[in-house]
Amino acid sequence: MAQYNYDETGAVFNFFLLTLLAMLLLPLTYYSLVKPPVPSTNTKGSLLKSDCDCDACAAKRSRLASQKSTGSVFSLRLLLLLLGWSLFAFIVYKAFTTEIEETGIWDPYQILGVDSSADESVIKKAFKKLSLKFHPDKVAPEEREKASNLFVDISKAYKVLTDEEARKVFDETGHPDGKQAFQLGLALPKWLVEKGNTSLVLLVYTIVFGITLPILVARWWSQAKHVTKNKVLNETMAMYYRDIKDIMPFKALIDVLSKSYEYQSMISPENGKAYDDLADEIRTAMESRSIERFDKKKTNVRDTHALSSYRASVLIYAHLLRIVPKNPILAAEQIKVVEAAPTLINGMLQIVTARRWLGASITIIEFSQMMVQALFNRQSPLMQLPFPDSDVLRHFSTKKRNITTLEQYFQLSDEEKRSVLRTLSEDQFNTIQAVGEKYPALKIVKAKYEVLGEPTITAGAIVNLGIKLRSLYGGKEPVGDHLTDELDDPEEESKKSQWWVDKTEKIREPHAPYFPGSRPPTYWVMLANQKEGHLICLGKVVGLDTDKTIRLQFQAPPKAGTWVFQVIVKSDTYAGTDQTIDAKLVVEDESALPAMEDDEDDISEPEDNSLAGQMNTIKTKGVAGALQSGSARDDSGARSGRRRVPAHLRQEYDDSSDSEDEDDDDEEAEADGGAGGEAAADAAEDQDDDDDDDDEDDEEEDDE
């Protein structure tokens, strides 16, 4: 029976605790303090912070830094990390200061210093020598206790080796008392299993596994069951499904977004006067900047959802007009509302893409651009530049030039740019130039249809569309030997996705000084039929600092012909970077596929005199044909000695009925006539008699 030895000193148990703590503390410390911030969207890249020195970007960095420092000081995670590392240091101290008792295997030969083949005289001589050296009466008083313990082992070893039977037992089993029970050592202190501590141990187990763990799981599940995988409330997605239509005007999108149930927990029911003042400020700004009017009316305070919807719409309108609320509480609530908007807009996009609405998909992506860049409806994309002003913008549209997009501005020479921005100072102009170098203009390098393993595309086939995208920062084409216009090889992409390859991608933070948070740019790639307003398939690319190939999959049209589809690439971050190209799809008829080559059958036909050959003959020619083939071989002198087919097999493989066989025999007899017909009839009767005899033989064999 096995015996268990516990860690009496707790030295080994300390190392066990150190291992557990290290497994928890090291990854938590890395992700909390060392690892760079990860973008909010589902990507494997790290976000490189913007170093723009314009006033709006500087104010944003200052606000984010203050939030981060305030949050880090009072962070619960940081407090737990400090406690964990303090406990780790204490256990390290205990592990190094605790003495470990090393108990080796008791060996009488080693104790006396003799060989295992030594005879009794050698053993007695060694014992006498060690007794004179380690006898308690022969040593100093301070060493007497140690010598006494050693002399006991020497005496025991001498007694075992001088006893013939005891020595034989030790040589066979390794122990003077014979074979011992199997022992196991547990790295647990003995006090954990002592009778007096049973209640305390059970209490700790109950608190940890019976109370704390179920509470944590229930808390996680109570939050997870109410949201989708994209972190949008189920109630909000149901409202989107009900209210979003295939044609969504600008105001309708704001109304739907402001009714999101997430905003109920972000907006307080207080500060009604401050919201009224902000609404009046919005009305004044819209009258001077746009033909649209702010017609939102105050709602009943008792209806919490209607109230939060109204106030969320006020904060969204203020953000799009670049109005910062004077009330600090409203300013903080505006930051929460705007930060949550991209996630909610992606939920809206998920609804319309599932319904294949092209127009609504484009409108929602453009609405995301407005929220990130703080642009009002139909406002110029040039407002994304620093220092926007009406006096500055009027120089972009003159009799000599009409610049409406940033891409057109980047194509100007430095002298022309300075002429357009002549009202700005030299420092302001240099700031705009620096921002322009980081502004990406999109380019669709290549788009190619293909069907895997087929030379042509046929009706109803599964088509793969490969699209290669490139960013032209500052409107300049990148240079380098690594650049190619061909699509990336899927095998190379699969190698990059292997777990030992570093997948961290450096993504530039977009220039979005009015968006309160940090997020990477996302590019939505659509294949659509603009003529019918139909979205065929959709994909996305997060970050485009390097060339990327995205592959979309769809089913080819059911009819052969030439189809002109559009590849549309839209950014959810930058306005005015959208690109659209025509992609012609030629669908061939199935007859255009090359004919399949018939491979010769390498399996040889079975021999006629084998069982497989007989079965094949019966199947192809019927029983009558098989019998005639057998008779022909018998008449020609080929004695194969094969067994005749039993009656039950003939019935199973004969395709014709009995009546048809009888009719065929009668017709053949009448056609032959005379002696030939009579001979054929006699031969058929003899054959039937032989078959009956064979059936009787088979039945006798079955009985035996």
Side-chain angles (χ1 to χ4, degrees):
M1 184 176 180
Q3 297 181 358
Y4 298 94
N5 295 327
Y6 293 92
D7 187 12
E8 297 286 349
T9 61
V12 183
F13 182 64
N14 290 334
F15 289 100
F16 173 73
L17 291 178
L18 288 175
T19 303
L20 291 181
L21 285 175
M23 292 173 61
L24 294 174
L25 292 175
L26 289 177
L28 286 177
T29 304
Y30 174 74
Y31 281 100
S32 301
L33 304 177
V34 180
K35 188 174 182 181
V38 179
S40 57
T41 56
N42 186 16
T43 179
K44 299 178 181 178
S46 60
L47 199 61
L48 298 177
K49 293 298 183 181
S50 173
D51 56 355
C52 176
D53 57 354
C54 67
D55 297 339
C57 287
K60 176 181 177 179
R61 282 197 300 270
S62 176
R63 181 179 54 80
L64 292 177
S66 62
Q67 289 180 352
K68 184 176 181 180
S69 60
T70 304
S72 61
V73 173
F74 301 100
S75 173
L76 178 61
R77 177 180 294 182
L78 182 62
L79 179 61
L80 293 177
L81 284 177
L82 291 176
L83 292 177
W85 283 113
S86 301
L87 180 61
F88 187 87
F90 174 74
I91 296 177
V92 169
Y93 171 77
K94 292 286 293 181
F96 279 94
T97 56
T98 303
E99 296 184 359
I100 302 177
E101 297 181 1
E102 297 183 359
T103 57
I105 300 176
W106 189 82
D107 187 357
Y109 296 105
Q110 185 179 4
I111 294 173
L112 296 180
V114 297
D115 191 68
S116 60
S117 60
D119 56 9
E120 188 172 350
S121 61
V122 176
I123 294 173
K124 289 182 179 180
K125 185 178 179 180
F127 172 71
K128 184 176 181 181
K129 183 178 179 180
L130 293 174
S131 298
L132 294 175
K133 183 178 180 181
F134 295 105
H135 195 279
D137 297 336
K138 303 291 184 180
V139 298
E142 60 272 9
E143 298 180 359
R144 185 164 297 171
E145 183 178 357
K146 182 179 179 180
S148 177
N149 295 331
L150 185 58
F151 186 75
V152 171
D153 286 340
I154 294 172
S155 301
K156 183 179 179 181
Y158 174 75
K159 183 178 179 180
V160 169
L161 296 182
T162 54
D163 188 336
E164 183 177 354
E165 184 176 355
R167 183 175 181 179
K168 181 179 179 182
V169 171
F170 178 82
D171 291 338
E172 293 178 351
T173 63
H175 198 278
D177 296 332
K179 188 175 181 180
Q180 301 297 302
F182 182 74
Q183 295 183 353
L184 293 175
L186 300 179
L188 294 175
K190 193 173 182 179
W191 58 267
L192 285 177
V193 294
E194 290 180 351
K195 187 175 181 180
N197 298 328
T198 303
S199 301
L200 178 61
V201 173
L202 290 177
L203 178 62
V204 173
Y205 270 87
T206 302
I207 293 175
V208 174
F209 296 102
I211 299 177
T212 306
L213 186 60
I215 289 176
L216 293 177
V217 174
R219 181 181 177 184
W220 167 81
W221 175 244
S222 64
Q223 296 175 356
K225 69 180 181 179
H226 296 298
V227 298
T228 64
K229 65 178 182 179
N230 295 326
K231 308 301 181 183
V232 180
L233 290 175
N234 294 329
E235 291 178 311
T236 301
M237 291 297 291
M239 184 268 296
Y240 291 164
Y241 185 84
R242 182 181 64 251
D243 293 352
I244 295 179
K245 309 301 179 183
D246 56 345
I247 299 177
M248 295 294 294
F250 173 71
K251 284 188 175 182
L253 286 175
I254 297 181
D255 292 340
V256 173
L257 178 63
S258 62
K259 288 193 294 185
S260 301
Y261 288 87
E262 283 81 356
Y263 290 149
Q264 284 188 264
S265 59
M266 301 179 187
I267 299 175
S268 65
E270 308 296 332
N271 305 303
K273 180 66 169 57
Y275 273 101
D276 294 340
D277 295 340
L278 182 59
D280 293 338
E281 190 175 355
I282 292 172
R283 291 188 182 94
T284 304
M286 290 183 64
E287 289 176 359
S288 61
R289 303 182 190 180
S290 173
I291 61 174
E292 299 184 20
R293 296 294 179 264
F294 182 72
D295 53 1
K296 285 286 184 178
K297 298 181 180 180
K298 291 190 295 184
T299 184
N300 188 0
V301 181
R302 297 180 181 179
D303 189 348
T304 57
H305 181 247
L307 179 63
S308 65
S309 175
Y310 167 74
R311 295 188 172 184
S313 64
V314 171
L315 296 175
I316 291 173
Y317 273 102
H319 169 71
L320 296 177
L321 294 169
R322 299 184 180 181
I323 299 175
V324 179
K326 298 180 178 62
N327 189 309
I329 298 178
L330 269 64
E333 292 179 352
Q334 185 187 49
I335 291 175
K336 295 179 182 179
V337 168
V338 176
E339 277 187 327
T343 301
L344 299 175
I345 291 175
N346 284 340
M348 300 167 63
L349 184 62
Q350 185 179 357
I351 295 295
V352 296
T353 54
R355 296 176 173 179
R356 304 300 179 185
W357 290 342
L358 176 61
S361 300
I362 292 176
T363 304
I364 290 175
I365 297 175
E366 291 176 350
F367 182 48
S368 176
Q369 299 172 1
M370 299 176 192
M371 290 297 298
V372 174
Q373 296 294 339
L375 298 175
F376 203 72
N377 188 29
R378 292 189 291 272
Q379 200 166 16
S380 173
L382 298 172
M383 291 291 293
Q384 297 172 97
L385 292 173
F387 317 112
D389 187 80
S390 58
D391 293 336
V392 175
L393 293 179
R394 66 186 179 87
H395 296 294
F396 284 87
S397 181
T398 62
K399 295 180 179 180
K400 295 181 179 180
R401 66 178 72 92
N402 185 21
I403 301 173
T404 58
T405 64
L406 291 176
E407 186 176 359
Q408 294 175 344
Y409 168 75
F410 295 140
Q411 293 175 357
L412 300 177
S413 63
D414 292 342
E415 292 78 9
E416 291 175 326
K417 292 178 182 177
R418 193 67 186 95
S419 175
V420 170
L421 301 175
R422 55 182 176 272
T423 58
L424 298 179
S425 65
E426 192 67 25
D427 292 339
Q428 291 175 332
F429 175 75
N430 293 332
T431 300
I432 292 180
Q433 289 292 92
V435 171
E437 293 295 329
K438 301 172 184 177
Y439 185 89
L442 286 179
K443 179 181 179 181
I444 302 176
V445 179
K446 188 174 183 179
K448 181 181 178 181
Y449 298 107
E450 62 180 356
V451 176
L452 297 179
E454 299 292 344
T456 59
I457 300 174
T458 57
I462 301 301
V463 183
N464 292 313
L465 172 60
I467 304 170
K468 188 163 190 176
L469 304 177
R470 179 177 298 164
S471 288
L472 310 181
Y473 285 98
K476 300 177 182 178
E477 184 84 23
V479 295
D481 297 336
H482 64 285
L483 295 176
T484 176
D485 292 346
E486 297 299 323
L487 301 178
D488 294 341
D489 189 1
E491 294 183 0
E492 295 296 330
E493 293 179 359
S494 63
K495 291 180 181 179
K496 294 179 182 179
S497 63
Q498 293 170 347
W499 63 269
W500 60 83
V501 179
D502 186 14
K503 310 176 188 64
T504 304
E505 178 187 0
K506 304 300 182 182
I507 302 175
R508 300 186 188 184
E509 182 183 15
H511 182 261
Y514 299 97
F515 185 76
S518 297
R519 62 188 308 273
T522 301
Y523 300 90
W524 294 97
V525 184
M526 296 175 282
L527 179 66
N529 188 341
Q530 287 184 330
K531 185 177 180 180
E532 299 180 0
H534 179 68
L535 177 65
I536 300 175
C537 53
L538 177 77
K540 73 175 181 178
V541 174
V542 179
L544 199 57
D545 290 350
T546 58
D547 291 2
K548 289 187 177 180
T549 297
I550 182 173
R551 302 185 190 282
L552 306 179
Q553 194 174 77
F554 64 98
Q555 188 174 15
K559 296 181 180 180
T562 301
W563 306 78
V564 179
F565 298 140
Q566 287 74 40
V567 175
I568 306 172
V569 183
K570 297 184 73 68
S571 171
D572 70 344
T573 305
Y574 296 103
T577 61
D578 307 335
Q579 294 292 325
T580 302
I581 63 170
D582 290 335
K584 185 183 296 185
L585 175 65
V586 179
V587 180
E588 303 285 351
D589 192 76
E590 293 184 358
S591 59
L593 292 175
M596 299 294 293
E597 296 182 359
D598 295 334
D599 296 334
E600 295 184 359
D601 193 359
D602 294 335
I603 302 176
S604 59
E605 294 291 336
E607 298 180 359
D608 292 340
N609 57 355
S610 63
L611 179 60
Q614 298 175 26
M615 301 293 288
N616 183 53
T617 304
I618 294 173
K619 183 177 180 180
T620 56
K621 299 182 180 180
V623 177
L627 294 175
Q628 291 177 3
S629 300
S631 301
R633 284 192 298 272
D634 293 341
D635 294 341
S636 63
R639 304 295 182 180
S640 61
R642 65 180 179 86
R643 184 180 176 183
R644 300 178 65 87
V645 181
H648 65 280
L649 288 181
R650 294 200 305 271
Q651 294 176 0
E652 180 178 356
Y653 289 96
D654 191 1
D655 296 334
S656 59
S657 62
D658 294 338
S659 61
E660 292 175 350
D661 292 342
E662 293 174 359
D663 295 340
D664 293 341
D665 292 341
D666 294 341
E667 291 175 1
E668 291 176 1
E670 291 176 1
D672 292 340
E678 294 176 359
D682 294 339
E685 291 178 358
D686 295 339
Q687 187 65 47
D688 293 337
D689 295 338
D690 293 340
D691 293 342
D692 294 339
D693 295 339
D694 290 340
D695 293 342
E696 293 176 0
D697 294 340
D698 293 339
E699 293 176 357
E700 292 176 1
E701 290 177 2
D702 294 337
D703 294 337
E704 291 176 359

